[in-house]
Amino acid sequence: MLRLCVRLVRRPLLPAVRLWRRNIQLRVVAATLLISLAVVLALGFVVIAQVSKGLLDAKEEAAQSQAAGGFAVAQEKANTPYTVDGVDASDNKVGRDASTWMNSLVKQLASGGQSAFEVAALGAGTGTGEEQPPGRGALGVRGARASGNVDPTASVPLELRRAVNHATGAFKTFSLVRYTAGAGDKAPEPALVVGKRLTDINGDPYDLYYLFPLTQEEESLNLVKVTIATAGLFVVVLLGGIAWLVVRQVVTPVRMAAGIAERLSAGRLQERMKVTGEDDIARLGEAFNKMAQNLQNKIQQLEDLSRLQRRFVSDVSHELRTPLTTVRMAADVIHDARADFDPITARSAELLAGQLDRFESLLADLLEISRFDAGAAALEAEPIDLRDVVHRVIDAAEPLAEHKNTRIRVLGDTQPVIAEADARRVERVLRNLVVNAVEHGEGRDVVVRLASAGGAVAVAVRDYGVGLKPGEATRVFNRFWRADPARARTTGGTGLGLSIAVEDARLHGGWLQAWGEPGGGSQFRLTLPRTADEPLRGSPIPLEPEDSRANRARAAAEGPTGPGPSREPAARPARSPIPPRSPVAGAMPVPADPTALPGNGARVVTRPTEQAAGGAAGTADREGGAGGAGGTGGSHGR
């Protein structure tokens, strides 16, 4: 479930991720924008912090000066003697109401601020839990009062009231000024609050507070923020545009070079870069053009050489046919009259006839290879049943099998195996594989397996002979390659049989693959599409057989899964002469093995690059020998 969710999330992001990976200009511009944005943000934070600090410092200095003057005026008014009808009555407190006096004082102090500040007066210790007991009578300051519909109790922080209650001097702090219902829906606003403990006209202590709203400073700071944000955004966009233009100057020639390189790889060797100026990009373009020119010249030389070699092989093969026919006629006459010769001369006549057979096969194979190299090989595909082709190949290989005391078994031939293929070429491929298996099977059984599944059909030839060493499964298809050059051939062969076979498989759009292990035999698998031009996605037969050492060891480690005979022929049993087309009794159709479908690790044989177009450098390990019309037999010299 988690994987499904991850896939659903990743699927819409795949195009953006692909664009990010493939577009270097986008990455550079995005990186420039991110770095510029980070720099602008850092610079903006620093500037805003400095401006904010400067505004608050100036506000605090002005507020403290204004509050100090107000505190002095309030204390002076409290200390001024009260006069009744011109008579000095400083010692007579009659008629002096501290509450009335406090209300008048708050209004007088606030009137000088012109809305620049508000004034609040609280009884000593109001709201702190430390109210002073009424020790001076009922005329002391009781309750809270403020100007401008300010709620004094809610606007003056408790910490500030406690500080004023416990010490002398002025104290300040920042808070939110809250208003009563009489001010309407006026929202709280930040303010600087300055407070001090004073005494009223009766000598009773009270707390006087100045509240300086920070509205103007906040507006100034907001203006600075908007200015910095606008300028920063402009700078980021400007830097992104500059980065895009600069990177474009570099990326455009690189993209042009990449496009030309792709066209060069597609075979358009005349493509060149347009070079302007004398800078580094221009020098890069000149070097690229020189490289392309040298590459074109070298490829042209190789093509001319390859064409010359193919022409040489084709001409030599054709020209040798006429003298070879004459030599063949003379050799046939000598071979027919060998009974009249002495033993040594008769044996020489037999050797001459045998080598002429090999020479004719070699010429036929060279002509076939030259047709493949020239691209002149044509496929004559038609629906065929591979069972008929396999039976014809086995009938032709029976004499060799009887000579080698080998039995050829067929599995999976109870159901039709139909495919669109060239019967002549498929028969030539299977003849090579079967003859090679008989020749190198060490007298053990050879198993031919057929299967079909999905859009593919396959034929696998399994032997239990000397096998293949690691790395030989791909080199075995090289021309004139041999695993053991010192080993002599017993059935003849030209060294080109498997090379022609793999070309036939490619011509069908199929695979010819090999597997082997030393002393455990080998298996060659031909996989063809059911219909022509249909791409292969897998093979119905696994490349590595079930009775390989690795599979048997894995099965033994997992434990027995059920009774059944071993698939490995440990010893060759005694048997009668080989009956034609004799499948194993009770053989059932071989179903497609799911492990052989895509992802089974099957190796596709690639076209060798080191093949020589003419001249034999050696002899083949698995090779084609003399065969039928236009075909080759097979042998391998392991």
Side-chain angles (χ1 to χ4, degrees):
M1 187 64 182
L2 180 60
R3 291 183 179 179
L4 180 60
C5 295
V6 171
R7 289 179 182 176
L8 292 177
V9 173
R10 289 180 56 186
R11 186 173 300 173
L13 300 178
L14 287 179
V17 173
R18 190 178 298 111
L19 178 63
W20 175 265
R21 292 179 177 176
R22 297 183 61 181
N23 197 323
I24 187 173
Q25 186 175 6
L26 175 63
R27 295 200 301 270
V28 172
V29 172
T32 303
L33 290 176
L34 291 176
I35 296 174
S36 303
L37 182 61
V39 172
V40 169
L41 288 177
L43 183 62
F45 283 132
V46 172
V47 171
I48 291 174
Q50 293 297 323
V51 171
S52 176
K53 184 176 182 300
L55 290 175
L56 292 179
D57 290 344
K59 186 67 173 181
E60 288 183 8
E61 184 176 355
Q64 288 178 346
S65 176
Q66 181 70 36
F71 295 149
V73 171
Q75 191 62 48
E76 182 180 356
K77 286 182 176 292
N79 296 332
T80 300
Y82 181 71
T83 303
V84 179
D85 295 332
V87 180
D88 188 359
S90 58
D91 295 331
N92 186 4
K93 304 298 182 180
V94 178
R96 304 192 69 178
D97 186 354
S99 297
T100 304
W101 176 82
M102 184 61 64
N103 291 335
S104 176
L105 176 65
V106 168
K107 290 179 180 180
Q108 291 178 5
L109 294 177
S111 62
Q114 299 179 352
S115 301
F117 57 85
E118 302 294 340
V119 179
L122 299 176
T126 301
T128 63
E130 303 172 357
E131 287 83 359
Q132 298 293 330
R136 300 290 300 270
L139 297 179
V141 176
R142 309 285 293 179
R145 52 190 53 79
S147 64
N149 295 319
V150 173
D151 186 351
T153 306
S155 300
V156 179
L158 180 61
E159 291 78 6
L160 179 61
R161 282 181 269 168
R162 289 178 177 174
V164 171
N165 192 44
H166 285 86
T168 60
F171 296 89
K172 65 179 183 299
T173 186
F174 292 97
S175 177
L176 286 177
V177 177
R178 292 177 172 83
Y179 298 90
T180 60
D185 296 332
K186 191 173 183 180
E189 55 185 3
L192 175 63
V193 183
V194 181
K196 186 177 182 181
R197 171 65 58 85
L198 300 175
T199 57
D200 61 5
I201 56 176
N202 295 325
D204 295 327
Y206 73 96
D207 299 334
L208 185 62
Y209 297 95
Y210 275 78
L211 294 88
F212 297 90
L214 300 177
T215 305
Q216 294 182 354
E217 287 74 14
E218 188 175 28
E219 292 176 354
S220 300
L221 189 60
N222 289 336
L223 178 62
V224 172
K225 289 180 180 179
V226 172
T227 304
I228 292 177
T230 304
L233 180 61
F234 177 76
V235 170
V236 169
V237 174
L238 181 62
L239 291 177
I242 295 174
W244 184 82
L245 291 175
V246 172
V247 175
R248 186 172 179 270
Q249 299 294 323
V250 179
V251 171
T252 299
V254 174
R255 289 177 177 172
M256 185 185 303
I260 294 176
E262 291 177 355
R263 292 192 287 272
L264 287 173
S265 64
R268 299 167 59 181
L269 301 179
Q270 71 281 0
E271 294 287 339
R272 297 294 184 272
M273 283 186 64
K274 181 180 179 180
V275 179
T276 56
E278 299 179 356
D279 54 7
D280 295 335
I281 300 298
R283 290 200 298 271
L284 174 62
E286 293 176 355
F288 185 90
N289 290 339
K290 290 181 181 178
M291 179 192 67
Q293 184 64 41
N294 294 335
L295 182 63
Q296 182 181 9
N297 295 337
K298 183 62 67 175
I299 292 177
Q300 187 64 39
Q301 293 176 3
L302 294 176
E303 287 180 349
D304 295 341
L305 179 60
S306 177
R307 191 179 302 110
L308 180 62
Q309 289 177 341
R310 291 196 301 269
R311 183 65 180 271
F312 174 77
V313 172
S314 178
D315 292 345
V316 169
S317 301
H318 281 285
E319 294 298 329
L320 287 178
R321 282 186 174 274
T322 300
L324 181 60
T325 303
T326 303
V327 174
R328 163 59 71 184
M329 294 174 60
D332 289 342
V333 172
I334 296 174
H335 186 268
D336 292 340
R338 68 185 183 280
D340 300 333
F341 301 153
D342 58 87
I344 297 177
T345 305
R347 178 58 180 163
S348 299
E350 294 175 354
L351 293 176
L352 177 62
Q355 293 302 314
L356 283 175
D357 291 338
R358 290 193 59 207
F359 195 13
E360 287 181 339
S361 299
L362 177 60
L363 284 180
D365 288 348
L366 286 175
L367 286 174
E368 188 68 23
I369 284 290
S370 65
R371 282 192 287 270
F372 279 117
D373 292 339
L379 186 67
E380 299 177 359
E382 60 181 359
I384 61 173
D385 191 343
L386 293 184
R387 298 182 300 170
D388 298 335
V389 179
V390 169
H391 290 153
R392 288 199 301 269
V393 170
I394 293 177
D395 290 343
E398 281 179 5
L400 178 62
E402 290 180 356
H403 177 71
K404 292 290 186 177
N405 199 19
T406 298
R407 182 177 64 171
I408 303 176
R409 298 188 295 157
V410 182
L411 302 178
D413 64 340
T414 58
Q415 298 292 333
V417 183
I418 307 298
E420 291 183 5
D422 191 330
R424 179 182 66 87
R425 295 183 183 276
V426 173
E427 184 174 349
R428 178 166 60 189
V429 174
L430 295 180
R431 183 182 298 115
N432 272 282
L433 302 183
V434 172
V435 172
N436 284 343
V438 172
E439 173 68 16
H440 295 276
E442 302 291 333
R444 299 185 177 93
D445 288 356
V446 172
V447 179
V448 180
R449 184 185 300 266
L450 296 94
S452 62
V457 297
V459 181
V461 179
R462 174 80 161 103
D463 68 76
Y464 298 90
V466 296
L468 295 173
K469 298 177 182 178
E472 293 181 352
T474 53
R475 291 189 302 228
V476 73
F477 296 102
N478 294 353
R479 300 176 186 180
F480 302 107
W481 183 84
R482 296 186 66 195
D484 185 7
R487 182 177 179 127
R489 295 186 177 90
T490 59
T491 60
T494 64
L496 297 172
L498 288 178
S499 298
I500 295 175
V502 76
E503 294 291 347
D504 283 332
R506 290 196 187 103
L507 192 62
H508 284 83
W511 305 334
L512 181 58
Q513 301 159 284
W515 168 91
E517 57 186 5
S522 60
Q523 176 166 291
F524 283 73
R525 182 185 67 184
L526 173 65
T527 307
L528 300 176
R530 279 184 179 271
T531 58
D533 300 329
E534 180 181 359
L536 284 177
R537 294 180 176 84
S539 178
I541 299 177
L543 182 59
E544 183 175 353
E546 297 178 358
D547 54 0
S548 66
R549 292 195 187 100
N551 286 336
R552 284 188 281 115
R554 191 179 302 112
E558 293 175 355
T561 58
S566 174
R567 292 183 176 269
E568 180 184 10
R572 177 177 53 84
R575 53 191 176 275
S576 58
I578 305 171
R581 305 190 189 97
S582 56
V584 177
M588 298 297 293
V590 179
D593 187 345
T595 60
L597 294 176
N600 67 329
R603 298 181 296 276
V604 178
V605 178
T606 56
R607 182 185 295 273
T609 57
E610 68 276 5
Q611 295 172 347
T619 53
D621 172 54
R622 284 183 177 262
E623 64 189 22
T632 58
S635 67
H636 38 214
R638 293 177 298 187

